[in-house]
Amino acid sequence: MSPMTDGGAGYGDLDVLGVLNDPVRRQLYRHVAAAPGDVGRDAAAEAVGVSRSLAAHHLDKLVEAGLLAVDYRRLSGKSGPGAGRPAKVYRRAAGEYAVSVPPRSYDEVSRVLADVVERAGLDRELQTAARGAGEAAQGDPEAALAARGYQPFWDGAVLRLRNCPFRALSEEFPALICGMNLALVEGLAAGAEWSVEVDPCGGGCCVALQRTGEAGDGDKV
């Protein structure tokens, strides 16, 4: 069944972000947004320590605002008679929201710059700069990725990235932006025992990482 959204009709960006002012709602959004798959009401309620009914109320408010998308499926994995009714499950919605007071338009200038770089064939120079920016960061690569909004999560021994911080630009300039992104992540992982490769995550970032020289990461979740 395809995802449904109740759409955020009538909500401006400031209104949408205002929905997250409630601390429980904010925790629920963060939990669902960072999850690698759909999240049911019971799991969401347990994750933030509230009742199922309260979680359901806030989750549906997030759907109404357009921050989450909702679908229905049987969590037991069973089908046919006796399998029970499909449960309501949630995932992060595809839309993006930004608020700037006073108004700014950094997205427009980034598109102009990306177009100039692509037309001038400066991909290599961009990647060099991105790798240098990554190398300049100090600390654990996983923590650095989390701080930059990539929402890393463990898929067995592979560290995948739930979110692409450059999604809008990568859709318009895929080769340029994905190449820059790969170089940036390589820079963040430089000097650590990590391998970095292009291995797209459905709905997430095209880059994945894996530790090298360490055993037991397959048990990490």
Side-chain angles (χ1 to χ4, degrees):
M1 186 178 294
S2 60
M4 299 168 50
T5 56
D6 294 331
Y11 283 80
D13 282 9
L14 186 58
D15 299 317
V16 169
L17 297 181
V19 170
L20 296 171
N21 188 52
D22 183 282
V24 173
R25 200 171 295 164
R26 190 162 58 247
Q27 289 181 67
L28 285 165
Y29 175 76
R30 286 173 175 168
H31 175 71
V32 175
D38 294 344
V39 178
R41 287 174 166 176
D42 289 333
E46 182 179 355
V48 303
V50 299
S51 69
R52 185 183 188 278
S53 60
L54 183 60
H57 168 75
H58 285 303
L59 287 166
D60 288 339
K61 286 292 185 182
L62 291 166
V63 173
E64 182 181 327
L67 288 164
L68 296 182
V70 65
D71 203 350
Y72 295 86
R73 63 181 177 83
R74 291 185 174 91
L75 299 179
S76 65
K78 299 178 181 178
S79 60
R85 296 174 58 187
K88 207 170 188 179
V89 293
Y90 303 83
R91 67 170 66 89
R92 184 185 60 198
E96 296 182 11
Y97 302 93
V99 174
S100 176
V101 182
R104 298 289 187 251
S105 187
Y106 301 113
D107 57 340
E108 184 63 28
V109 74
S110 66
R111 284 180 170 83
V112 171
L113 290 171
D115 185 54
V116 170
V117 171
E118 187 170 71
R119 288 174 182 272
L122 298 174
D123 303 55
R124 188 183 300 275
E125 288 80 358
L126 177 63
Q127 291 168 19
T128 299
R131 188 173 290 105
E135 290 173 352
Q138 300 294 319
D140 176 61
E142 184 176 357
L145 289 163
R148 285 164 173 75
Y150 283 90
Q151 296 180 341
F153 70 96
W154 285 96
D155 178 16
V158 179
L159 184 67
R160 300 196 181 277
L161 308 175
R162 175 74 176 83
N163 181 53
C164 173
F166 317 112
R167 176 161 303 284
L169 276 179
S170 69
E171 290 174 349
E172 194 167 344
F173 306 95
L176 181 72
I177 301 303
C178 290
M180 179 204 73
N181 185 48
L182 175 63
L184 175 63
V185 177
E186 287 175 340
L188 289 170
E193 294 184 329
W194 295 82
S195 62
V196 181
E197 61 183 7
V198 175
D199 185 10
C201 166
C205 178
C206 61
V207 177
L209 302 87
Q210 189 166 1
R211 288 187 187 273
T212 59
E214 289 190 15
D217 287 316
D219 298 329
K220 195 166 185 177
V221 293

